[in-house]
Amino acid sequence: MVIYYALWYFVDVTWSWFEIVLTIIYCAITVNVGLGVFNLIPIPPLDGSKVFRRFLPYNANNWIDRNMQIIYIVFMVLWITNLLDIIVTPILKLILSGLNLLVANIFNLFL
Protein backbone atom coordinates (compact mmCIF):
# COMPACT_ATOMS: atom_id res chain seq x y z
CA MET A 1 0.00 0.00 0.00
CA VAL A 2 2.93 2.32 0.70
CA ILE A 3 4.29 1.75 -2.81
CA TYR A 4 0.84 2.44 -4.26
CA TYR A 5 0.58 5.79 -2.48
CA ALA A 6 4.21 6.68 -3.18
CA LEU A 7 3.59 6.23 -6.89
CA TRP A 8 0.29 8.08 -6.63
CA TYR A 9 1.85 11.12 -4.96
CA PHE A 10 5.27 11.32 -6.62
CA VAL A 11 4.92 10.07 -10.21
CA ASP A 12 3.72 12.24 -13.07
CA VAL A 13 0.14 11.17 -13.79
CA THR A 14 0.30 12.12 -17.46
CA TRP A 15 2.04 8.87 -18.37
CA SER A 16 -0.30 6.63 -20.30
CA TRP A 17 0.70 3.41 -18.50
CA PHE A 18 0.53 4.92 -15.02
CA GLU A 19 -3.08 3.97 -14.36
CA ILE A 20 -2.41 0.40 -15.48
CA VAL A 21 0.52 0.09 -13.06
CA LEU A 22 -1.55 1.49 -10.19
CA THR A 23 -4.41 -0.87 -10.99
CA ILE A 24 -2.07 -3.88 -11.02
CA ILE A 25 -0.55 -2.85 -7.68
CA TYR A 26 -3.97 -2.33 -6.10
CA CYS A 27 -5.18 -5.70 -7.41
CA ALA A 28 -2.09 -7.36 -5.91
CA ILE A 29 -2.84 -5.67 -2.56
CA THR A 30 -6.47 -6.82 -2.73
CA VAL A 31 -5.54 -10.41 -3.58
CA ASN A 32 -2.99 -10.60 -0.75
CA VAL A 33 -5.35 -9.19 1.87
CA GLY A 34 -8.16 -11.39 0.53
CA LEU A 35 -6.05 -14.54 0.82
CA GLY A 36 -5.06 -13.57 4.34
CA VAL A 37 -8.66 -13.00 5.41
CA PHE A 38 -9.84 -16.19 3.71
CA ASN A 39 -7.10 -18.27 5.29
CA LEU A 40 -7.95 -17.01 8.78
CA ILE A 41 -11.59 -18.18 8.64
CA PRO A 42 -11.94 -20.58 11.61
CA ILE A 43 -13.14 -23.58 9.60
CA PRO A 44 -10.90 -26.67 9.84
CA PRO A 45 -9.00 -26.99 6.62
CA LEU A 46 -7.87 -23.36 6.96
CA ASP A 47 -5.20 -21.95 9.29
CA GLY A 48 -7.74 -19.91 11.23
CA SER A 49 -9.08 -23.12 12.71
CA LYS A 50 -5.68 -23.92 14.20
CA VAL A 51 -5.66 -20.54 15.95
CA PHE A 52 -9.32 -20.86 16.96
CA ARG A 53 -8.86 -24.37 18.40
CA ARG A 54 -6.26 -23.13 20.89
CA PHE A 55 -9.04 -21.25 22.69
CA LEU A 56 -11.59 -24.08 22.70
CA PRO A 57 -12.11 -26.49 25.58
CA TYR A 58 -10.95 -30.08 25.34
CA ASN A 59 -14.42 -31.48 24.54
CA ALA A 60 -14.93 -29.05 21.66
CA ASN A 61 -11.56 -30.02 20.17
CA ASN A 62 -12.50 -33.69 20.41
CA TRP A 63 -15.82 -32.99 18.69
CA ILE A 64 -14.01 -31.19 15.86
CA ASP A 65 -11.59 -34.10 15.50
CA ARG A 66 -14.42 -36.62 15.33
CA ASN A 67 -16.41 -34.58 12.78
CA MET A 68 -13.55 -33.28 10.62
CA GLN A 69 -14.87 -34.92 7.44
CA ILE A 70 -18.34 -33.42 7.87
CA ILE A 71 -16.88 -30.00 8.62
CA TYR A 72 -14.72 -30.26 5.50
CA ILE A 73 -17.77 -31.11 3.36
CA VAL A 74 -19.68 -28.17 4.86
CA PHE A 75 -16.70 -25.93 4.08
CA MET A 76 -16.61 -27.13 0.47
CA VAL A 77 -20.36 -26.50 0.08
CA LEU A 78 -19.97 -22.99 1.51
CA TRP A 79 -17.05 -22.34 -0.81
CA ILE A 80 -18.69 -23.71 -3.97
CA THR A 81 -21.98 -21.87 -3.36
CA ASN A 82 -20.10 -18.58 -2.69
CA LEU A 83 -21.63 -18.28 0.78
CA LEU A 84 -18.14 -17.62 2.13
CA ASP A 85 -18.29 -14.31 0.26
CA ILE A 86 -20.79 -13.15 2.87
CA ILE A 87 -18.06 -13.61 5.48
CA VAL A 88 -14.95 -12.61 3.54
CA THR A 89 -16.12 -9.57 1.53
CA PRO A 90 -17.11 -7.25 4.42
CA ILE A 91 -13.92 -8.07 6.33
CA LEU A 92 -11.83 -7.56 3.20
CA LYS A 93 -13.45 -4.19 2.51
CA LEU A 94 -12.95 -3.11 6.12
CA ILE A 95 -9.26 -4.03 6.12
CA LEU A 96 -8.62 -2.42 2.73
CA SER A 97 -10.38 0.80 3.71
CA GLY A 98 -8.44 0.84 6.99
CA LEU A 99 -5.15 0.36 5.14
CA ASN A 100 -6.09 3.06 2.65
CA LEU A 101 -6.96 5.48 5.44
CA LEU A 102 -3.84 4.70 7.45
CA VAL A 103 -1.36 5.03 4.59
CA ALA A 104 -3.09 8.06 3.10
CA ASN A 105 -2.96 9.85 6.46
CA ILE A 106 0.71 8.98 6.85
CA PHE A 107 1.48 10.41 3.42
CA ASN A 108 -0.61 13.50 4.14
CA LEU A 109 1.53 14.18 7.21
CA PHE A 110 4.60 14.62 5.03
CA LEU A 111 3.04 16.61 2.20
Side-chain angles (χ1 to χ4, degrees), residues 69-111:
Q69 290 177 339
I70 295 169
I71 294 170
Y72 186 71
I73 291 169
V74 169
F75 168 72
M76 293 303 290
V77 168
L78 290 173
W79 187 26
I80 291 170
T81 59
N82 287 331
L83 291 176
L84 282 178
D85 284 345
I86 296 170
I87 299 168
V88 173
T89 302
I91 297 170
L92 176 65
K93 287 181 180 179
L94 180 69
I95 291 173
L96 283 175
S97 64
L99 274 173
N100 271 327
L101 185 64
L102 177 70
V103 176
N105 285 334
I106 290 172
F107 269 88
N108 285 333
L109 287 174
F110 298 108
L111 296 177

Side-chain angles (χ1 to χ4, degrees), residues 15-111:
W15 295 344
S16 61
W17 54 271
F18 179 70
E19 288 184 27
I20 296 170
V21 170
L22 283 179
T23 303
I24 290 171
I25 291 172
Y26 196 78
C27 286
I29 293 166
T30 304
V31 166
N32 279 306
V33 172
L35 286 172
V37 169
F38 178 76
N39 201 29
L40 286 176
I41 295 173
I43 299 176
L46 302 173
D47 290 337
S49 68
K50 293 173 183 73
V51 174
F52 182 65
R53 288 181 73 171
R54 299 281 183 209
F55 300 105
L56 292 177
Y58 180 76
N59 291 336
N61 278 321
N62 283 338
W63 183 86
I64 290 173
D65 288 336
R66 285 192 312 269
N67 297 307
M68 187 67 76
Q69 290 177 339
I70 295 169
I71 294 170
Y72 186 71
I73 291 169
V74 169
F75 168 72
M76 293 303 290
V77 168
L78 290 173
W79 187 26
I80 291 170
T81 59
N82 287 331
L83 291 176
L84 282 178
D85 284 345
I86 296 170
I87 299 168
V88 173
T89 302
I91 297 170
L92 176 65
K93 287 181 180 179
L94 180 69
I95 291 173
L96 283 175
S97 64
L99 274 173
N100 271 327
L101 185 64
L102 177 70
V103 176
N105 285 334
I106 290 172
F107 269 88
N108 285 333
L109 287 174
F110 298 108
L111 296 177

